[in-house]
């Protein structure tokens, strides 16, 4: 009997497993593939995801395997730099191979005590008042208190639940891959600049070690279960650019569409959905992996609280209440970005106008914060603007020396940051840490942080604090 079974060991599933293990929850991760993916697809961790890695002590390992890049040019590939004073100590993009992200997160989860079983495909489920029975392809049945589907856009768990996945099907497909080219770089650059005047979804750029990232429109919507061939790329390059650039020696080849869908519900009883199982959208802006990891970060401590027995009533329901609107916003901004990539006269005119507007700091800042998810504010009721937002990684006192706030969140607990020195979280000390630091870089007296770094309370009144502690962390220990 496990506490939680997770279907899918991608970034979302691995992150969720680690978050649950921080609270001593018994976790089994089932992955239908027998081996990790072999192709090296580079993804970008946006500011908020980088902050989450720092909160759990994983950022240094990520930085060793990735490359920092400027945090700009995300929205519809409009080349505008990010504001210099972006509200984060980690205001950059981290380019890193997706298999490395998965490996580091899975290794983190396993080190914490999670069990990962490969070659185990979920084919059935049924739930009752006490738990969920999960059936595997080989006929084995497993039992857990909860099941979380992190099994991608074609989620078996979502289908077995009968949860609707409304939205728009793919209208166009795009081929993407990494391969070597057989012509000089100057010739590549000149041809790409020429083609991009009329086809914004085309790109061919160097990606290190003689390899180029190739993105080219597909001839038609196809079956993504079947990966494209190198010849497919050559044919489409010749059709779009008039040359195939002598491409050869591919590292990986893939096809993606612009389908946009959102699950009607994120929870049915003891079964929940996260990541691509709950939402899919075009990759414009690079938000997909980030959105899934952030889902896991929101869900992990809440599900653990439910299992450990201290969750306030309806705490687990806040997962859907908080994360589904965020996904709706991501779907909308990717829809907008997709339209801005069109070569039709109307979208081209809007793109030119938006390009001008992004010279205004407020417009540029709004779009950058949206893509990087540092603008997310959960609805915690009336209060200061900081309430419901995440708190940046500020300087705090750590004994006789100064340190960083996020270093205090490695254990996945709540944190009371107290500048007055007269508050306490004593009845909740098994769930919430307390740091009295009158010199903390805050412009408010005190804040209560949830384990995901969002501000759950701002103030200096003990009774008001106790009410908020009860709301998020349950009844005080006796």
């Amino acid at each position: 009997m496990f506490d939680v079974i997770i279907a899918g060991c991608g970034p979302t599933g691995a992150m969720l497993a680690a978050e649950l293990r921080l609270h001593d929850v018994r976790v089994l991760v089932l992955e239908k593939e027998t081996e990790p993916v072999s192709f090296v697809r580079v993804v970008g961790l946006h500011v908020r995801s980088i902050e989450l890695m720092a909160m759990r002590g994983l950022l240094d390992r990520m930085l060793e395997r990735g490359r920092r890049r400027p945090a700009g040019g995300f929205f519809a590939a409009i080349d505008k730099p990010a504001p210099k004073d972006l509200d984060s100590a980690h205001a950059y993009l981290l380019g890193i191979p997706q298999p490395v992200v998965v490996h580091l997160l899975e290794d983190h989860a396993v080190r914490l005590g999670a069990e990962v079983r490969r070659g185990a495909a979920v084919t059935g489920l049924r739930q009752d008042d006490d738990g969920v029975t999960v059936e595997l392809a080989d006929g084995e049945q497993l039992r857990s208190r909860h099941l979380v589907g992190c099994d991608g856009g074609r989620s078996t768990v979502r289908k077995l639940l009968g949860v609707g996945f409304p939205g728009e099907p793919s209208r166009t497909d795009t081929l993407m891959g990494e391969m070597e080219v057989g012509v000089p770089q100057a010739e590549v650059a000149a041809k790409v600049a020429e083609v991009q005047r009329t086809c914004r979804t085309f790109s061919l750029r160097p990606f290190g070690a003689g390899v180029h990232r190739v993105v080219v429109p597909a001839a038609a919507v196809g079956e993504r279960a079947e990966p494209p061939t190198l010849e497919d790329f050559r044919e489409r390059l010749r059709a779009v650019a008039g040359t195939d650039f002598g491409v050869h020696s591919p590292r990986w080849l893939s096809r993606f569409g612009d389908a946009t869908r959102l699950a009607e519900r994120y929870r049915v009883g003891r079964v929940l959905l996260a990541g691509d199982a709950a939402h899919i959208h075009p990759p414009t802006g690079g938000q997909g992996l980030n959105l899934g990891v952030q889902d896991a970060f929101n869900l992990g401590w809440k599900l653990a609280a439910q299992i450990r027995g201290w969750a306030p009533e309806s705490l687990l329901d806040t997962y859907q209440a908080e994360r589904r609107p965020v996904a709706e916003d991501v779907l909308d901004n990717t829809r907008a970005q997709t339209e801005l990539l069109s070569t039709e006269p109307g979208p081209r005119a809007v793109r030119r106008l938006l390009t001008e507007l992004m010279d205004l700091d407020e417009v540029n800042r709004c779009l950058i914060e949206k893509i990087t998810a540092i603008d997310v504010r959960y609805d915690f009721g009336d209060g200061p603007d900081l309430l419901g937002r995440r708190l940046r990684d500020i300087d705090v006192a750590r004994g006789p020396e100064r340190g960083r706030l996020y270093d205090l969140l490695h254990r996945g607990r709540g944190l009371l940051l107290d500048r007055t020195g007269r508050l306490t979280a004593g009845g909740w000390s098994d769930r919430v840490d307390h740091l009295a630091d009158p010199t903390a870089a805050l412009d408010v007296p005190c804040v209560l942080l949830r384990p995901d770094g969002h501000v759950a309370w701002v103030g200096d009144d003990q009774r008001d604090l106790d009410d908020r502690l009860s709301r998020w962390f349950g009844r005080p220990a006796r």
Side-chain angles (χ1 to χ4, degrees):
M1 180 75 174
F2 294 93
D3 291 323
V4 179
I5 290 177
I6 300 171
C9 195
T12 303
M15 184 83 256
L16 178 60
E19 288 297 287
L20 291 167
R21 283 302 305 157
L22 287 174
H23 302 279
D24 202 29
V25 172
R26 293 167 295 176
V27 180
L28 171 65
V29 185
L30 301 175
E31 172 54 53
K32 67 179 181 179
E33 303 297 336
T34 56
E35 299 291 339
V37 295
S38 58
F39 62 81
V40 183
R41 178 180 177 184
V42 176
V43 296
L45 291 184
H46 283 309
V47 176
R48 183 55 182 155
S49 295
I50 294 170
E51 291 181 340
L52 302 187
M53 299 306 159
M55 286 183 196
R56 296 301 184 258
L58 295 169
L59 183 54
D60 286 345
R61 298 173 67 191
M62 295 283 180
L63 290 174
E64 290 174 358
R65 305 291 296 275
R67 177 187 293 182
R68 298 192 198 197
R69 294 178 179 163
F74 302 141
F75 196 85
I78 296 175
D79 190 16
K80 299 289 183 180
K84 293 182 180 180
D85 58 343
L86 204 62
D87 183 34
S88 177
H90 306 280
Y92 53 88
L93 175 76
L94 182 62
I96 185 170
Q98 180 164 334
V100 171
V101 174
V102 175
H103 169 72
L104 291 176
L105 292 178
E106 181 180 342
D107 181 66
H108 176 53
V110 170
R111 286 172 182 267
L112 290 171
E115 179 183 343
V116 178
R117 187 184 302 183
R118 294 192 172 275
V122 174
T123 57
L125 68 88
R126 62 181 182 276
Q127 58 178 314
D128 51 46
D129 292 342
D130 299 318
V132 184
T133 300
V134 178
E135 184 173 337
L136 305 185
D138 62 3
E140 182 181 3
Q141 293 189 350
L142 302 169
R143 186 78 173 160
S144 69
R145 296 172 66 179
H146 293 272
L147 168 67
V148 185
C150 301
D151 49 343
R154 296 182 177 84
S155 171
T156 298
V157 172
R158 186 189 66 243
K159 294 173 182 175
L160 290 171
L161 281 177
V163 170
F165 204 39
E168 305 92 54
S170 284
R171 297 174 299 173
T172 61
D173 271 11
T174 302
L175 306 183
M176 178 186 290
E178 291 178 4
M179 60 201 73
E180 297 181 32
V181 301
V183 298
Q185 179 57 37
E187 183 177 334
V188 171
K191 177 58 72 171
V192 168
E194 174 188 334
V195 175
Q196 285 184 338
R197 295 192 189 103
T198 56
C199 182
R200 297 191 184 279
T201 56
F202 172 81
S203 69
L204 200 157
R205 55 178 178 156
F207 223 72
V211 174
H212 283 64
R213 167 76 62 83
V214 179
V215 181
V216 61
V221 175
E223 174 53 56
R224 271 164 290 284
E226 292 295 328
T229 65
L230 182 60
E231 187 56 35
D232 291 332
F233 275 80
R234 289 172 174 154
E235 289 179 2
R236 292 306 300 156
L237 288 169
R238 288 193 292 266
V240 173
T243 173
D244 64 13
F245 299 94
V247 294
H248 64 94
S249 306
R251 285 186 174 181
W252 58 269
L253 306 173
S254 68
R255 172 192 293 267
F256 65 86
D258 59 355
T260 305
R261 298 185 181 277
L262 179 63
E264 292 177 337
R265 291 187 287 171
Y266 280 21
R267 179 188 178 192
V268 178
R270 293 177 172 270
V271 185
L272 302 102
L273 302 172
D276 287 352
H279 41 70
I280 59 171
H281 56 85
T284 314
Q287 299 166 91
L289 180 149
N290 295 272
L291 185 60
V293 168
Q294 292 157 25
D295 284 347
F297 221 76
N298 183 284
L299 174 60
W301 71 277
K302 297 174 181 177
L303 185 54
Q306 184 79 16
I307 290 166
R308 303 308 299 173
W310 57 260
E313 187 177 356
S314 80
L315 176 64
L316 196 52
D317 291 332
T318 67
Y319 166 59
Q320 173 175 306
E322 293 174 2
R323 292 305 299 171
R324 196 170 184 276
V326 173
E328 287 179 322
D329 186 70
V330 170
L331 266 59
D332 275 350
N333 81 57
T334 55
R335 287 184 178 106
Q337 292 182 75
T338 300
E339 292 299 319
L340 290 169
L341 295 173
S342 169
T343 57
E344 293 297 315
R348 289 175 66 186
V350 176
R351 184 184 180 90
R352 289 193 295 270
L353 176 60
L354 184 59
T355 301
E356 292 180 16
L357 291 174
M358 287 178 69
D359 288 331
L360 299 175
D361 182 77
E362 289 186 7
V363 175
N364 189 30
R365 184 182 303 277
C366 173
L367 295 176
I368 290 291
E369 290 182 350
K370 184 179 293 293
I371 295 292
T372 59
I374 63 174
D375 73 332
V376 171
R377 185 187 186 195
Y378 299 135
D379 183 5
F380 294 169
D382 295 335
D385 182 68
L386 187 59
L387 184 67
R389 297 187 183 277
R390 101 283 184 254
L391 186 61
R392 64 175 289 150
D393 193 9
I394 61 174
D395 286 326
V396 294
R398 298 190 68 189
E401 300 180 354
R402 305 299 293 174
R404 304 296 296 178
L405 173 68
Y406 289 178
D407 292 339
L408 303 177
L409 298 174
H410 288 184
R411 295 193 296 167
R413 293 159 55 91
L415 175 67
L416 173 62
L417 184 52
D418 176 12
R419 296 181 67 223
T420 70
R422 54 183 175 77
L423 298 181
T424 179
W428 294 266
S429 60
D430 59 331
R431 289 154 259 170
V432 179
D433 294 322
H434 180 201
L435 175 67
D437 177 14
T439 66
L442 283 173
D443 55 5
V444 294
C446 309
V447 296
L448 174 65
L449 297 181
R450 305 191 316 182
D452 59 2
H454 280 262
V455 176
W457 173 80
V458 178
D460 59 5
D461 180 78
Q462 184 67 54
R463 284 188 296 181
D464 189 29
L465 170 60
D466 288 348
D467 288 342
R468 289 304 176 117
L469 284 164
S470 296
R471 172 180 174 180
W472 293 110
F473 297 98
R475 295 179 179 178
R478 294 180 179 178

